[in-house]
Amino acid sequence: MFTKILVAVSTGSADTVLTSAIEAARKYDAQIVALHVVDPTPCYLGAADCNFDLIVEAMTAHGRKVVTHVRNVLDNQARTAEVRMVTLPMSGMTIGRAIAIVADETAADLILLGERSSFPWRWLSEDVASEVVRCSGRPIQVAADRINSRSAHRAGSHWADASTIRI
């Protein structure tokens, strides 16, 4: 059913999402394209006298460590895989749109995302899954980070229908 799976990897959900991607790739005999997006935009929220270039450089170096970890995990699983990293421009691009663009470039059949973080200030951050659905006509799967014992429907992966019109 799926021949290429794009898995968006963040620092907080790398292992959970990779595990789901490897399982799906085995199930469908699909290739994995792993993507890590570096977003320097939160740096704008800091003090005006900070060294912005130094912060972006540190974020990019950390992104390369994430990519190396992802590559090592996928190499150990003997799956056909490609690993990419994208650094967003200073304005005009969201993480979700970047994921949708790479999905188009790679002709991914499925986009696999990690579960949205639940930190108290999450209303400040982008809802990546909603943005991917808005920007892509491809199906997405959100891999749950943990199982909620009160809710049986969260025990597995969640599916979202991405049948919206591409904008």
Side-chain angles (χ1 to χ4, degrees), residues 137-155:
R138 301 173 194 295
I140 68 166
Q141 177 181 354
V142 178
D145 285 341
R146 55 190 134 355
I147 297 172
N148 182 346
S149 60
R150 288 181 274 147
S151 177
H153 75 277
R154 293 189 58 156

Side-chain angles (χ1 to χ4, degrees), residues 48-121:
D49 62 345
C50 69
N51 186 336
F52 183 74
D53 291 335
L54 186 60
I55 293 170
V56 172
E57 184 179 313
M59 292 174 78
T60 303
H62 180 67
R64 284 191 293 269
K65 289 179 183 179
V66 171
V67 167
T68 299
H69 171 73
V70 168
R71 187 171 285 121
N72 290 338
V73 169
L74 293 174
D75 285 348
N76 290 335
Q77 297 300 320
R79 301 296 316 160
T80 304
E82 175 186 344
V83 181
R84 293 183 178 198
M85 182 175 87
V86 173
T87 301
L88 297 182
M90 298 307 162
S91 65
M93 179 71 70
T94 63
I95 295 170
R97 183 173 296 280
I99 292 168
I101 288 169
V102 173
D104 286 344
E105 288 174 0
T106 60
D109 303 314
L110 173 68
I111 302 171
L112 184 59
L113 305 171
E115 191 171 47
R116 187 170 187 199
S117 63
S118 60
F119 67 95
W121 295 94

